[in-house]
Amino acid sequence: MRRVISCWAHADKRAKHLCAYETLGLNTRCRKPTQEEVKKAWQRLCVRLHPDRNLEYDTLATEATRCINLAKQHLFDVHFG
């Protein structure tokens, strides 16, 4: 969860798209992930890091959820929009 937060929060503007892929756990070495792959990765992380499932880490889970939502929004706006 901390890796998700630190990755997105500390990326500069030039590296936001690369960091967004990394935040969602997608591999970009061979090819660019499709829109469906981004959506599946986002859904998987939302379920795993949701604050209701991580009650003992509520603030970290909330921040991680915010970061993965920002990463998905960035990818859909820039690459698929």
Side-chain angles (χ1 to χ4, degrees):
M1 195 176 326
R2 291 177 195 264
R3 181 184 63 82
V4 170
I5 295 168
S6 65
C7 176
W8 184 256
H10 299 322
D12 61 355
K13 289 184 180 181
R14 292 186 318 263
K16 280 285 189 203
H17 66 282
L18 295 176
C19 191
Y21 285 122
E22 186 179 319
T23 299
L24 294 175
L26 296 168
N27 185 4
T28 58
R29 283 192 177 166
C30 298
R31 61 179 176 77
K32 190 170 118 179
T34 64
Q35 188 173 2
E36 188 63 33
E37 290 171 334
V38 170
K39 187 176 178 182
K40 283 183 181 182
W42 171 77
Q43 288 174 338
R44 185 186 72 241
L45 283 173
C46 279
V47 168
R48 196 176 96 204
L49 299 175
H50 197 274
D52 290 343
R53 292 185 63 142
N54 299 292
L55 295 175
E56 63 274 3
Y57 303 109
D58 188 37
T59 56
L60 278 177
T62 303
E63 185 66 19
T65 303
R66 185 184 71 78
C67 288
I68 61 173
N69 285 334
L70 285 173
K72 178 192 160 259
Q73 181 182 4
H74 174 76
L75 287 176
F76 272 76
D77 289 347
V78 173
H79 296 288
F80 303 120

